[in-house]
Amino acid sequence: MGKVTLRAIFCGIAGVLAWVLCEPFFPKQVIAGSWNRDPVFLKVELTFTFLLGTLIGLTAGFLNGTDRGGRINVIVSSALGLIFGAVGAMFGQAIGSSVYAILGGGSNTPANVIARTLALLPFGLLIGAAVGVSQRSVRSMVSGAIGGAVAGFLTGAAFDTLSQVISRVVSPVNMTVTPGYESEAGAPGRAVMAMGMGLLIGLFTALADLASRKAWVRLVLGRNEGKEWPIDAGQTLIGRDERAHVPLFSDPSIPPLAAVIVKQGNTYHLQDPQSPIGVGLNGYRVSQAQLNHGDTINIGPLSLQFLVRSGGSATFEGSHKGVPIGPAAQPQQQRPTQVSSPSTQYPTAAMIPQPQAQSQTVTSAQTGLCLVALTGPMAGNRLAIGTHLEIGREGSGLSIAYDPQASRRHAAVALVGGQLTVSDLGSTNGTYVNGHRVTHAAINTGDQLMVGSTTFRVE
C-alpha cells in the first residue's frame, strides 16, 4: 500500500499548494448576498479550480511516470496529467457550477450540502479520469474516473460541515466590515476542499486502479524488487527501451525488446522476439508458452512473476523465485508446453518479424545475408532475408507497427539474380540507403537501410 499512500499524500500537498497560491487573491468583503456573483470572486475561484486540477493531474502523472520507469515515461505521464488535469478542471468547474445553481446552492440549509456534494462529483470524476489518462490505458482512465467521483462526492459531503467548524475557530476578530457588505469567510472551506480533493483523488484513484487490474507482473529477482507493472495492452512489450510497457533498466545485458506478453481472450502468452539472451519461463528457455498465475519469467539476470486476479489467493504471490538463464541455456528437463502446432496461432507482437509463406522463405544460411536492426525497440535483432521481404507498419514480412514514420507498406527487399535490392512502395517518408533517398537500389553487405525512423544494416 506504499504507492497508494504516497499518491494520496502528494496529491493532497498539490491541493494545498493550489489553495496557498490563490487564497490571498480572494476578496475579503463582498456586497451582501452577492458573493457568488461578484466578478472578482468568480475570476479568482475559476483560477483556483483550474490550478487545483492542473497540480493534482501533474503530481499524479509524475508519480505514475516515475513508477513505470524511465525519463520519457516521466515526461509523457506528467504532461498528460497536467494537460488533462487542466481540461478536466475547466469542464468540471462549468458542470459543477451549473449543478450547484440548479439545485439552489448558496444557503445554509441541508439542500446546500446536497448541491455542493453533487457539484463536486463531476469535478472529481474528470480530474480522476485525467489521472488515469496519464497511465495511458483505458482501464486506468475508467478506474480513475470512478475513484475521482468517489473523492468528489465525499469532499462535497464534508465541505460545509468542516468549513463551518473551522471558520468558528479561525474567524478574524474585530474585523471591520463596510456597511452593505459582508465578510467572505470561505477560506477554511476552500482549504478543506483543496486538501481533501487532492488527498482523496490520489487515494481512491490508486485504490481503483489496483482493484481493476486483471493481470500484472512483479519484479522478484533484480534491482527494485517488488516493482509492478499492469498488463493492459493486447501486446505488452518488455525490455530496456523506455517505450516498452515494462521497461527494465537495471542490467545492460537486457535488450531493448526482450519479451512480449500477448493477451488472447482471457489467456496470456509469453513470446521470445528473437532476443539475443533468450526468454525463460520458470527456469526453462521457451520461444512461446502460455502463462499461468504465479509463473516466473526469466530475462537475463532478472525475474518477473506473472500474476492474475482470478488465479489464486494472495498468499500464492511471491512463492516462485526465478532462476537466471543465459543465452545458451538449454535445460534438458521437461519444458513448459510450447506452441508448435500450425493449427494454433497466437497473436504476434507488432515488433516481432512475421515469417513468410513457406514457398517464399529463404533463410540467411542460404542467402548469406540478414538485416540487423540498429535503432528502435528491435535494436540488436537479426532478421533473415528471403527472396522477398516486405517492411512496414503492416508489412507481410517485417512489421514495424511501433514506428509512426513508417507507412503501412513501406519498402520491399528482394533477391534478384543474386543481387539484393530494395524498392520503395510509395511510402510517405521515403526509403533511404546510406542516407540517400531511393525508389529502387541495389544494397550490399554493410549498407544501412532506413525505413521510417528504423535503421537496419545489411550483413
Side-chain angles (χ1 to χ4, degrees):
M1 298 295 288
K3 291 189 294 185
V4 174
T5 304
L6 185 69
R7 183 190 288 186
I9 292 174
F10 275 86
C11 287
I13 293 174
V16 173
L17 179 60
W19 177 78
V20 169
L21 292 174
C22 294
E23 188 57 39
F25 299 97
F26 277 98
K28 305 308 176 187
Q29 297 182 27
V30 295
I31 298 175
S34 65
W35 63 269
N36 59 344
R37 298 190 301 275
D38 183 86
V40 176
F41 178 88
L42 293 177
K43 182 178 180 180
V44 179
E45 183 184 52
L46 184 63
T47 303
F48 170 57
T49 53
F50 174 81
L51 194 59
L52 180 63
T54 300
L55 290 179
I56 293 175
L58 172 63
T59 301
F62 174 81
L63 294 174
N64 288 335
T66 302
D67 185 55
R68 186 168 179 174
R71 182 179 60 181
I72 292 178
N73 286 320
V74 171
I75 294 174
V76 172
S77 294
S78 298
L80 289 174
L82 184 150
I83 294 170
F84 283 92
V87 173
M90 299 303 293
F91 279 97
Q93 163 72 12
I95 296 171
S97 297
S98 299
V99 171
Y100 191 67
I102 292 172
L103 297 179
S107 59
N108 294 322
T109 64
N112 186 59
V113 175
I114 296 175
R116 183 88 65 185
T117 300
L118 296 181
L120 286 181
L121 190 150
F123 183 84
L125 183 149
L126 290 174
I127 301 302
V131 172
V133 168
S134 71
Q135 293 179 281
R136 288 170 279 173
S137 78
V138 175
R139 178 193 62 81
S140 294
M141 185 180 70
V142 173
S143 64
I146 294 172
V150 173
F153 181 88
L154 294 178
T155 303
F159 180 91
D160 286 289
T161 302
L162 289 177
S163 61
Q164 289 176 15
V165 171
I166 296 174
S167 62
R168 293 192 186 100
V169 177
V170 301
S171 58
V173 180
N174 299 325
M175 178 179 177
T176 302
V177 180
T178 304
Y181 284 73
E182 62 180 348
S183 61
E184 200 289 304
R190 287 188 290 271
V192 169
M193 187 197 78
M195 182 178 68
M197 189 66 78
L199 190 148
L200 293 180
I201 284 179
L203 175 65
F204 284 107
T205 54
L207 290 175
D209 183 67
L210 289 176
S212 64
R213 65 184 185 179
K214 296 180 179 180
W216 63 99
V217 290
R218 174 185 300 158
L219 187 63
V220 295
L221 183 62
R223 195 176 71 183
N224 299 320
E225 289 183 9
K227 191 176 182 66
E228 296 179 348
W229 296 268
I231 306 299
D232 291 327
Q235 300 169 347
T236 299
L237 311 176
I238 305 174
R240 199 160 44 85
D241 195 293
E242 289 195 356
R243 291 167 292 183
H245 299 92
V246 181
L248 304 173
F249 305 117
S250 61
D251 193 282
S253 67
I254 305 298
L257 180 60
V260 179
I261 295 177
V262 179
K263 185 177 185 296
Q264 184 182 34
N266 293 322
T267 62
Y268 298 83
H269 308 275
L270 177 67
Q271 294 185 350
D272 179 2
Q274 301 180 7
S275 167
I277 65 171
V279 176
L281 182 61
N282 298 323
Y284 301 97
R285 189 164 182 170
V286 297
S287 59
Q288 52 184 341
Q290 183 170 325
L291 288 167
N292 297 299
H293 177 75
D295 281 346
T296 298
I297 302 169
N298 312 109
I299 301 176
L302 307 181
S303 291
L304 299 160
Q305 188 176 33
F306 175 77
L307 301 165
V308 289
R309 187 162 302 281
S310 60
S313 64
T315 56
F316 184 69
E317 299 181 9
S319 60
H320 290 263
K321 282 291 183 180
V323 180
I325 64 169
Q330 299 289 340
Q332 300 301 315
Q333 304 174 33
Q334 182 65 36
R335 301 181 183 182
T337 302
Q338 300 188 32
V339 179
S340 57
S341 172
S343 62
T344 305
Q345 297 294 329
Y346 296 110
T348 303
M351 297 182 188
I352 302 176
Q354 307 293 314
Q356 294 290 305
Q358 186 173 0
S359 61
Q360 293 182 326
T361 300
V362 179
T363 67
S364 59
Q366 292 172 302
T367 65
L369 297 172
C370 65
L371 292 178
V372 178
L374 302 180
T375 62
M378 292 181 62
N381 286 357
R382 302 175 67 87
L383 314 167
I385 297 176
T387 56
H388 184 83
L389 180 68
E390 184 180 296
I391 307 173
R393 285 189 290 111
E394 296 179 5
S396 58
L398 173 56
S399 173
I400 50 174
Y402 64 87
D403 189 343
Q405 301 301 314
S407 298
R408 290 187 302 169
R409 298 180 65 246
H410 196 111
V413 176
L415 188 66
V416 180
Q419 174 64 59
L420 197 63
T421 63
V422 61
S423 300
D424 185 81
L425 300 179
S427 67
T428 300
N429 295 316
T431 301
Y432 293 80
V433 176
N434 298 326
H436 300 285
R437 185 165 183 168
V438 300
T439 55
H440 181 79
I443 51 177
N444 302 292
T445 302
D447 286 345
Q448 291 193 5
L449 171 66
M450 188 169 76
V451 176
S453 61
T454 305
T455 303
F456 303 90
R457 183 176 63 245
V458 180
E459 291 188 357

Short mmCIF file of all heavy atoms in Angstrom, two decimals, residues 84-124:
data_model
loop_
_atom_site.label_atom_id
_atom_site.label_comp_id
_atom_site.label_asym_id
_atom_site.label_seq_id
_atom_site.Cartn_x
_atom_site.Cartn_y
_atom_site.Cartn_z
N PHE A 84 -4.57 17.14 -19.20
CA PHE A 84 -5.93 16.65 -18.98
C PHE A 84 -6.45 17.07 -17.61
O PHE A 84 -7.67 17.19 -17.42
CB PHE A 84 -5.96 15.13 -19.13
CG PHE A 84 -5.94 14.70 -20.58
CD1 PHE A 84 -4.75 14.42 -21.22
CD2 PHE A 84 -7.12 14.60 -21.29
CE1 PHE A 84 -4.73 14.05 -22.55
CE2 PHE A 84 -7.12 14.22 -22.62
CZ PHE A 84 -5.92 13.94 -23.26
N GLY A 85 -5.55 17.30 -16.64
CA GLY A 85 -5.99 17.84 -15.36
C GLY A 85 -6.56 19.24 -15.53
O GLY A 85 -7.59 19.60 -14.94
N ALA A 86 -5.89 20.06 -16.35
CA ALA A 86 -6.37 21.43 -16.60
C ALA A 86 -7.71 21.40 -17.35
O ALA A 86 -8.65 22.13 -16.99
CB ALA A 86 -5.33 22.19 -17.40
N VAL A 87 -7.79 20.56 -18.38
CA VAL A 87 -9.04 20.46 -19.15
C VAL A 87 -10.16 19.93 -18.27
O VAL A 87 -11.29 20.45 -18.28
CB VAL A 87 -8.84 19.55 -20.37
CG1 VAL A 87 -10.17 19.30 -21.08
CG2 VAL A 87 -7.84 20.17 -21.34
N GLY A 88 -9.87 18.89 -17.48
CA GLY A 88 -10.88 18.33 -16.58
C GLY A 88 -11.35 19.34 -15.55
O GLY A 88 -12.54 19.39 -15.22
N ALA A 89 -10.44 20.17 -15.06
CA ALA A 89 -10.82 21.18 -14.07
C ALA A 89 -11.77 22.20 -14.67
O ALA A 89 -12.76 22.60 -14.03
CB ALA A 89 -9.56 21.87 -13.54
N MET A 90 -11.49 22.65 -15.89
CA MET A 90 -12.35 23.64 -16.52
C MET A 90 -13.75 23.09 -16.79
O MET A 90 -14.75 23.75 -16.48
CB MET A 90 -11.71 24.12 -17.82
CG MET A 90 -10.35 24.78 -17.65
SD MET A 90 -10.40 26.19 -16.51
CE MET A 90 -11.39 27.35 -17.46
N PHE A 91 -13.82 21.89 -17.34
CA PHE A 91 -15.14 21.29 -17.59
C PHE A 91 -15.84 20.94 -16.28
O PHE A 91 -17.05 21.10 -16.15
CB PHE A 91 -14.99 20.05 -18.48
CG PHE A 91 -14.85 20.36 -19.94
CD1 PHE A 91 -13.60 20.40 -20.54
CD2 PHE A 91 -15.97 20.63 -20.71
CE1 PHE A 91 -13.46 20.70 -21.88
CE2 PHE A 91 -15.84 20.93 -22.07
CZ PHE A 91 -14.58 20.96 -22.65
N GLY A 92 -15.07 20.44 -15.32
CA GLY A 92 -15.65 20.10 -14.02
C GLY A 92 -16.22 21.32 -13.32
O GLY A 92 -17.30 21.26 -12.71
N GLN A 93 -15.51 22.44 -13.41
CA GLN A 93 -15.99 23.69 -12.83
C GLN A 93 -17.28 24.15 -13.49
O GLN A 93 -18.24 24.55 -12.82
CB GLN A 93 -14.91 24.76 -12.96
CG GLN A 93 -15.36 26.19 -12.78
CD GLN A 93 -15.71 26.53 -11.34
OE1 GLN A 93 -15.40 25.74 -10.45
NE2 GLN A 93 -16.34 27.67 -11.12
N ALA A 94 -17.32 24.09 -14.81
CA ALA A 94 -18.50 24.53 -15.54
C ALA A 94 -19.72 23.66 -15.21
O ALA A 94 -20.82 24.17 -14.94
CB ALA A 94 -18.23 24.51 -17.05
N ILE A 95 -19.51 22.34 -15.22
CA ILE A 95 -20.62 21.42 -14.92
C ILE A 95 -21.05 21.57 -13.47
O ILE A 95 -22.24 21.65 -13.15
CB ILE A 95 -20.21 19.98 -15.22
CG1 ILE A 95 -19.92 19.81 -16.71
CG2 ILE A 95 -21.30 19.01 -14.78
CD1 ILE A 95 -19.31 18.45 -17.05
N GLY A 96 -20.06 21.63 -12.56
CA GLY A 96 -20.38 21.75 -11.14
C GLY A 96 -21.12 23.03 -10.81
O GLY A 96 -22.07 23.02 -10.00
N SER A 97 -20.73 24.14 -11.42
CA SER A 97 -21.41 25.41 -11.16
C SER A 97 -22.86 25.35 -11.62
O SER A 97 -23.76 25.86 -10.94
CB SER A 97 -20.68 26.55 -11.88
OG SER A 97 -19.38 26.70 -11.37
N SER A 98 -23.10 24.72 -12.76
CA SER A 98 -24.47 24.59 -13.27
C SER A 98 -25.30 23.72 -12.34
O SER A 98 -26.46 24.06 -12.01
CB SER A 98 -24.45 24.00 -14.67
OG SER A 98 -23.74 24.83 -15.57
N VAL A 99 -24.75 22.60 -11.89
CA VAL A 99 -25.46 21.71 -10.97
C VAL A 99 -25.77 22.44 -9.67
O VAL A 99 -26.88 22.35 -9.12
CB VAL A 99 -24.62 20.44 -10.70
CG1 VAL A 99 -25.24 19.61 -9.58
CG2 VAL A 99 -24.49 19.62 -11.97
N TYR A 100 -24.79 23.19 -9.16
CA TYR A 100 -24.95 23.91 -7.89
C TYR A 100 -26.07 24.95 -8.00
O TYR A 100 -26.89 25.09 -7.09
CB TYR A 100 -23.64 24.58 -7.53
CG TYR A 100 -23.58 25.15 -6.13
CD1 TYR A 100 -23.59 24.31 -5.02
CD2 TYR A 100 -23.52 26.52 -5.93
CE1 TYR A 100 -23.52 24.83 -3.73
CE2 TYR A 100 -23.45 27.06 -4.65
CZ TYR A 100 -23.45 26.21 -3.55
OH TYR A 100 -23.39 26.73 -2.28
N ALA A 101 -26.11 25.65 -9.13
CA ALA A 101 -27.15 26.67 -9.31
C ALA A 101 -28.53 26.04 -9.48
O ALA A 101 -29.53 26.51 -8.91
CB ALA A 101 -26.81 27.53 -10.53
N ILE A 102 -28.60 24.96 -10.25
CA ILE A 102 -29.88 24.29 -10.49
C ILE A 102 -30.47 23.75 -9.19
O ILE A 102 -31.68 23.82 -8.95
CB ILE A 102 -29.72 23.16 -11.52
CG1 ILE A 102 -29.40 23.74 -12.90
CG2 ILE A 102 -30.96 22.28 -11.59
CD1 ILE A 102 -29.02 22.70 -13.93
N LEU A 103 -29.63 23.23 -8.32
CA LEU A 103 -30.09 22.63 -7.06
C LEU A 103 -30.26 23.67 -5.95
O LEU A 103 -30.55 23.31 -4.81
CB LEU A 103 -29.13 21.54 -6.60
CG LEU A 103 -29.00 20.33 -7.54
CD1 LEU A 103 -28.00 19.32 -7.01
CD2 LEU A 103 -30.37 19.66 -7.72
N GLY A 104 -30.09 24.95 -6.27
CA GLY A 104 -30.33 26.01 -5.29
C GLY A 104 -29.27 26.13 -4.23
O GLY A 104 -29.59 26.44 -3.06
N GLY A 105 -28.01 25.90 -4.58
CA GLY A 105 -26.94 26.05 -3.60
C GLY A 105 -26.71 27.49 -3.23
O GLY A 105 -27.05 28.40 -3.98
N GLY A 106 -26.15 27.72 -2.05
CA GLY A 106 -25.83 29.06 -1.62
C GLY A 106 -26.42 29.43 -0.28
O GLY A 106 -26.04 30.44 0.31
N SER A 107 -27.32 28.63 0.22
CA SER A 107 -27.93 28.90 1.53
C SER A 107 -27.43 27.88 2.53
O SER A 107 -26.99 26.79 2.19
CB SER A 107 -29.45 28.83 1.42
OG SER A 107 -29.85 27.55 0.96
N ASN A 108 -27.51 28.24 3.80
CA ASN A 108 -27.06 27.34 4.86
C ASN A 108 -28.17 26.37 5.24
O ASN A 108 -28.74 26.41 6.33
CB ASN A 108 -26.63 28.16 6.09
CG ASN A 108 -25.40 29.00 5.81
OD1 ASN A 108 -24.50 28.56 5.11
ND2 ASN A 108 -25.38 30.22 6.35
N THR A 109 -28.51 25.50 4.34
CA THR A 109 -29.56 24.51 4.54
C THR A 109 -29.05 23.16 4.11
O THR A 109 -28.03 23.04 3.41
CB THR A 109 -30.80 24.88 3.70
OG1 THR A 109 -30.45 24.82 2.31
CG2 THR A 109 -31.30 26.29 4.02
N PRO A 110 -29.77 22.09 4.52
CA PRO A 110 -29.36 20.76 4.04
C PRO A 110 -29.33 20.66 2.52
O PRO A 110 -28.54 19.91 1.95
CB PRO A 110 -30.45 19.84 4.64
CG PRO A 110 -30.91 20.57 5.87
CD PRO A 110 -30.85 22.02 5.51
N ALA A 111 -30.18 21.45 1.85
CA ALA A 111 -30.19 21.43 0.39
C ALA A 111 -28.85 21.91 -0.17
O ALA A 111 -28.41 21.46 -1.23
CB ALA A 111 -31.33 22.29 -0.14
N ASN A 112 -28.20 22.82 0.55
CA ASN A 112 -26.91 23.32 0.09
C ASN A 112 -25.85 22.22 0.14
O ASN A 112 -24.97 22.16 -0.71
CB ASN A 112 -26.48 24.50 0.94
CG ASN A 112 -25.21 25.15 0.42
OD1 ASN A 112 -25.16 25.61 -0.71
ND2 ASN A 112 -24.17 25.15 1.24
N VAL A 113 -25.92 21.37 1.17
CA VAL A 113 -24.97 20.26 1.29
C VAL A 113 -25.14 19.31 0.11
O VAL A 113 -24.16 18.84 -0.48
CB VAL A 113 -25.16 19.52 2.63
CG1 VAL A 113 -24.24 18.30 2.69
CG2 VAL A 113 -24.90 20.45 3.79
N ILE A 114 -26.40 19.02 -0.23
CA ILE A 114 -26.66 18.13 -1.36
C ILE A 114 -26.15 18.75 -2.66
O ILE A 114 -25.51 18.10 -3.49
CB ILE A 114 -28.16 17.83 -1.46
CG1 ILE A 114 -28.63 17.06 -0.22
CG2 ILE A 114 -28.46 17.03 -2.72
CD1 ILE A 114 -30.12 16.83 -0.17
N ALA A 115 -26.44 20.06 -2.83
CA ALA A 115 -25.99 20.75 -4.04
C ALA A 115 -24.47 20.74 -4.14
O ALA A 115 -23.90 20.52 -5.21
CB ALA A 115 -26.52 22.19 -4.03
N ARG A 116 -23.80 21.00 -3.01
CA ARG A 116 -22.34 21.03 -3.01
C ARG A 116 -21.77 19.64 -3.34
O ARG A 116 -20.80 19.52 -4.11
CB ARG A 116 -21.83 21.47 -1.64
CG ARG A 116 -20.33 21.60 -1.54
CD ARG A 116 -19.88 22.97 -1.93
NE ARG A 116 -20.37 23.98 -1.02
CZ ARG A 116 -20.20 25.29 -1.19
NH1 ARG A 116 -19.55 25.72 -2.26
NH2 ARG A 116 -20.70 26.15 -0.33
N THR A 117 -22.38 18.61 -2.76
CA THR A 117 -21.90 17.24 -2.98
C THR A 117 -22.00 16.85 -4.45
O THR A 117 -21.05 16.33 -5.04
CB THR A 117 -22.71 16.26 -2.12
OG1 THR A 117 -22.56 16.60 -0.74
CG2 THR A 117 -22.23 14.83 -2.34
N LEU A 118 -23.16 17.13 -5.04
CA LEU A 118 -23.36 16.76 -6.44
C LEU A 118 -22.59 17.67 -7.39
O LEU A 118 -22.28 17.27 -8.52
CB LEU A 118 -24.85 16.79 -6.77
CG LEU A 118 -25.70 15.77 -6.01
CD1 LEU A 118 -27.16 15.88 -6.42
CD2 LEU A 118 -25.20 14.35 -6.24
N ALA A 119 -22.26 18.88 -6.94
CA ALA A 119 -21.49 19.79 -7.78
C ALA A 119 -20.03 19.38 -7.86
O ALA A 119 -19.38 19.53 -8.89
CB ALA A 119 -21.61 21.22 -7.26
N LEU A 120 -19.48 18.87 -6.75
CA LEU A 120 -18.08 18.47 -6.74
C LEU A 120 -17.85 17.08 -7.32
O LEU A 120 -16.72 16.71 -7.64
CB LEU A 120 -17.52 18.52 -5.31
CG LEU A 120 -17.27 19.93 -4.75
CD1 LEU A 120 -16.70 19.84 -3.34
CD2 LEU A 120 -16.33 20.71 -5.64
N LEU A 121 -18.93 16.30 -7.46
CA LEU A 121 -18.78 14.95 -8.01
C LEU A 121 -18.23 14.97 -9.44
O LEU A 121 -17.26 14.27 -9.73
CB LEU A 121 -20.12 14.21 -7.94
CG LEU A 121 -20.09 12.72 -8.26
CD1 LEU A 121 -21.18 11.99 -7.49
CD2 LEU A 121 -20.28 12.44 -9.75
N PRO A 122 -18.80 15.76 -10.38
CA PRO A 122 -18.22 15.76 -11.74
C PRO A 122 -16.81 16.34 -11.79
O PRO A 122 -16.00 15.92 -12.62
CB PRO A 122 -19.20 16.63 -12.54
CG PRO A 122 -19.92 17.45 -11.53
CD PRO A 122 -20.00 16.60 -10.32
N PHE A 123 -16.50 17.29 -10.90
CA PHE A 123 -15.14 17.83 -10.85
C PHE A 123 -14.16 16.73 -10.49
O PHE A 123 -13.13 16.54 -11.15
CB PHE A 123 -15.07 18.97 -9.82
CG PHE A 123 -13.73 19.64 -9.74
CD1 PHE A 123 -13.40 20.65 -10.62
CD2 PHE A 123 -12.80 19.25 -8.80
CE1 PHE A 123 -12.15 21.27 -10.56
CE2 PHE A 123 -11.55 19.85 -8.73
CZ PHE A 123 -11.23 20.88 -9.62
N GLY A 124 -14.47 15.98 -9.43
CA GLY A 124 -13.60 14.87 -9.03
C GLY A 124 -13.52 13.80 -10.09
O GLY A 124 -12.44 13.24 -10.35
#
